[in-house]
Amino acid sequence: MADVLSPSAQKNYIAANRRDYAEIYTELRFLKADEIPTTEAFRAGILADLEGKVRSVCNGSKLYSNRLSPGCKLCSEGQWSCLFINGKCNCDCFYCPTSQDEIGLPTTNNLTFRLPSDYAAYLETFGFGGMSLSGGEPLLTPGRCLGFLDTAKKHLGDKLHTWLYTNGSLVTSDILKQLRDAGLDEIRFDIGAINYSTAKAALAVGIIPNVTVEIPAVPEKLELMQERLIEMNDLGINFLNLHQLRLTTYNFPKLKQRDYTYVHGERITVLESELTALQLIRHGLEQNLELGINYCSFVYKNRYQRAAARGRGSSLSGKHYEELTEAGYLRTLVARSTGADLVRLTANLPQGDDQGWELSPHQDLLFCTGQVLEQLPTSGLELNVSYAETPVLDQVSYRYPFRELRLPSNRKMVIERRKLAEVTLKENEIGRFARILKGNDHTAANELEQWQDIERFEQLPKGLQTYF
């Protein structure tokens, strides 16, 4: 299944891509209009072959065969924190999206953590079920890795699934055993960084509970990877995660040396990379492999991981009648009486604290969840709908309401509440709003901006990216 974008949305993405990629944009070979039907048919053919044989999560944007790794499952549920333990790498992969030349401080979502105890408290405060160590190359700073891993695992125990990304070049049996003893549950190897050798990943089998190979789907390596699938399966490697190549201004000089076709979208991606990933899933099924193969599409990462990040603070800053939407925004509904008796309307609702609704002191406003709204007659009501994001930050901007949190070291973090949009619906529009909440109504390109805004803040697009 592929996402369907309106012509106006496509035009907006093209304009944004042209602006963001500046002078390199004109050097890219994009999918041409007359190539789209053939390309879509090719992808549709692969997806038809996979139908009934693969599963998907997150509205069909992440497809996998057999099973997902525990870490990937937590990521899809928005319960993962990725700590970039350093910013330095000892390899030079052509597809790397950013420079990797400074050790720096451990960082996640623009938060820095000098102390492992502070990071463990952060994980607990926001209810993370998964933590990963990434880089750079994490094993360039093994002591730092072990310290953060051991502290987090001792603090949260089996409630926390942990994994580490590595290119494998520095992996030894000794460091694997140290990581295991510190509580590492999963290790992920980018074998593309070491000439597609599976030797280091094989070394981890039997030491680390879950062994995963995680690489971009490189079109030129399709046949080689078809061979590696069987090899990985026979070695006892548990999972293969395939990413989609994306273009950045940093990796452009290396990507332009390859004969890739580019696709517009939320960012510019490589067409052949997606098709390669889907073909590898199909090949694994044709070979009856037990290896779990997962296509981690760019639209999945850009939509769902970003949604989780922008709504991270909602559990601590939201009220009992506010809800986090699928798109990661905190929704506030306020019903105002234009003739209805709000006290009478709420008489049959569940009573008591935290029931998803609350009357204002003057009983002229009703704050409620979407579920409560569905139980109310809309006659005589006007509905105010607003959306906010609730990021967790190192420092307060003083431009928005905020809440402070303190970590064990007495260091502060803040949750800001940034209102992004607000619309008022009349009584004859409230029914449609309720249908949008359930995903039973969709806006057209020429409809009023308020409906387009509501759908954008409520829902994430479905399926893989549109080719245009």
Side-chain angles (χ1 to χ4, degrees):
M1 179 179 66
D3 183 19
V4 177
L5 286 176
S6 68
S8 62
Q10 294 180 23
K11 184 178 179 180
N12 289 338
Y13 276 133
I14 291 172
N17 290 163
R18 188 184 295 275
R19 180 187 66 246
D20 294 343
Y21 290 85
E23 66 274 4
I24 71 173
Y25 181 89
T26 57
E27 298 187 49
L28 304 176
R29 184 171 72 86
F30 286 98
L31 187 64
K32 297 177 181 177
D34 60 357
E35 298 173 324
I36 292 175
T38 302
T39 306
E40 287 182 334
F42 183 75
R43 180 173 65 175
I46 303 174
L47 294 175
D49 291 341
L50 298 179
E51 189 171 359
K53 301 174 185 176
V54 298
R55 301 175 183 177
S56 68
V57 293
C58 298
N59 284 329
S61 61
K62 176 189 275 289
L63 281 66
Y64 65 96
S65 62
N66 296 326
R67 62 201 184 282
L68 278 176
S69 79
C72 287
K73 187 173 184 297
L74 287 163
C75 174
S76 71
E77 295 168 351
Q79 295 190 36
W80 163 51
S81 172
C82 182
L83 184 69
F84 293 89
I85 200 75
N86 66 48
K88 188 174 179 62
C89 189
N90 59 338
C91 290
D92 187 27
C93 301
F94 79 89
Y95 44 75
C96 190
T98 59
S99 61
Q100 305 283 325
D101 50 17
E102 293 184 7
I103 293 293
L105 291 172
T107 304
T108 181
N109 287 117
N110 299 314
L111 299 167
T112 56
F113 291 92
R114 294 178 180 273
L115 301 176
S117 56
D118 278 352
Y119 183 60
Y122 165 76
L123 294 174
E124 182 179 34
T125 298
F126 291 98
F128 287 103
M131 154 202 169
S132 68
L133 300 175
S134 186
E137 168 49 52
L139 296 182
L140 286 171
T141 53
R144 186 183 282 185
C145 287
L146 292 167
F148 274 81
L149 176 62
D150 182 69
T151 299
K153 202 67 172 179
K154 284 180 177 175
H155 190 72
L156 293 167
D158 291 340
K159 293 187 296 184
L160 185 71
H161 179 82
T162 60
W163 64 102
L164 176 141
Y165 298 89
T166 179
N167 58 42
S169 62
L170 302 175
V171 165
T172 63
S173 293
D174 182 59
I175 190 62
L176 287 170
K177 291 173 183 175
Q178 291 182 60
L179 289 166
R180 174 200 63 196
D181 294 344
L184 190 68
D185 298 302
E186 182 178 346
I187 188 166
R188 300 186 178 187
F189 291 86
D190 180 0
I191 63 173
I194 52 174
N195 200 29
Y196 291 86
S197 169
T198 58
K200 293 302 182 77
L203 193 61
V205 175
I207 299 177
I208 307 299
N210 297 280
V211 179
T212 300
V213 168
E214 181 159 325
I215 56 173
V218 176
E220 308 93 283
K221 301 298 182 180
L222 174 60
E223 291 185 5
L224 175 63
M225 279 304 300
Q226 288 175 337
E227 297 173 5
R228 291 291 185 268
L229 295 187
I230 298 171
E231 187 177 305
M232 287 187 280
N233 189 77
D234 293 345
L235 288 170
I237 292 169
N238 307 103
F239 306 99
L240 169 63
N241 296 340
L242 296 164
H243 291 277
Q244 184 177 15
L245 287 171
R246 69 180 178 96
L247 178 75
T248 67
T249 54
Y250 177 79
N251 65 22
F252 166 71
K254 294 179 180 178
L255 262 64
K256 77 173 181 178
Q257 299 174 26
R258 298 164 186 260
D259 188 26
Y260 291 154
T261 307
Y262 295 95
V263 182
H264 289 103
E266 295 153 16
R267 292 290 185 272
I268 293 176
T269 53
V270 174
L271 167 68
E272 294 87 356
S273 182
E274 174 162 279
L275 301 178
T276 298
L278 296 175
Q279 288 176 89
L280 286 171
I281 294 177
R282 181 173 64 183
H283 186 74
L285 290 168
E286 290 171 348
Q287 298 299 313
N288 296 313
L289 303 181
E290 295 181 7
L291 182 71
I293 307 177
N294 153 44
Y295 173 42
C296 193
S297 69
F298 177 73
V299 291
Y300 160 74
K301 291 190 290 186
N302 197 53
R303 293 169 185 171
Y304 286 87
Q305 292 177 3
R306 290 180 67 188
R310 64 176 162 250
R312 183 70 63 206
S314 63
S315 61
L316 296 179
S317 63
K319 299 179 174 60
H320 69 94
Y321 50 78
E322 296 178 313
E323 295 174 294
L324 188 66
T325 70
E326 178 190 70
Y329 299 97
L330 190 63
R331 180 208 309 129
T332 306
L333 303 181
V334 185
R336 181 188 304 274
S337 172
T338 59
D341 183 343
L342 293 181
V343 175
R344 181 181 58 79
L345 283 182
T346 58
N348 294 325
L349 294 176
Q351 303 296 308
D353 296 335
D354 300 335
Q355 293 295 331
W357 65 275
E358 183 178 304
L359 281 175
S360 64
H362 294 294
Q363 300 183 337
D364 58 341
L365 299 175
L366 170 64
F367 303 86
C368 66
T369 64
Q371 185 175 12
V372 169
L373 180 68
E374 292 174 13
Q375 303 175 50
L376 301 175
T378 58
S379 178
L381 292 183
E382 182 179 83
L383 185 67
N384 181 270
V385 184
S386 62
Y387 297 96
E389 61 181 359
T390 53
V392 184
L393 307 168
D394 263 336
Q395 296 179 330
V396 64
S397 70
Y398 295 106
R399 291 184 293 170
Y400 306 95
F402 66 93
R403 174 183 175 180
E404 285 188 351
L405 301 173
R406 288 193 179 270
L407 296 172
S409 66
N410 208 34
R411 173 196 153 186
K412 293 179 183 178
M413 289 191 307
V414 296
I415 303 172
E416 284 196 341
R417 185 185 176 108
R418 304 173 178 177
K419 183 183 284 190
L420 302 176
E422 185 172 15
V423 297
T424 299
L425 303 177
K426 301 186 182 305
E427 65 178 63
N428 62 335
E429 298 174 312
I430 298 175
R432 183 178 185 186
F433 174 74
R435 292 194 299 273
I436 290 177
L437 294 192
K438 290 184 173 183
N440 295 332
D441 202 327
H442 300 282
T443 59
N446 59 351
E447 286 198 81
L448 292 176
E449 187 175 342
Q450 72 172 21
W451 293 113
Q452 295 179 6
D453 280 345
I454 286 171
E455 188 167 13
R456 176 169 62 90
F457 286 116
E458 287 290 338
Q459 302 166 10
L460 290 169
K462 294 178 171 57
L464 302 174
Q465 71 184 108
T466 301
Y467 292 161
F468 63 96

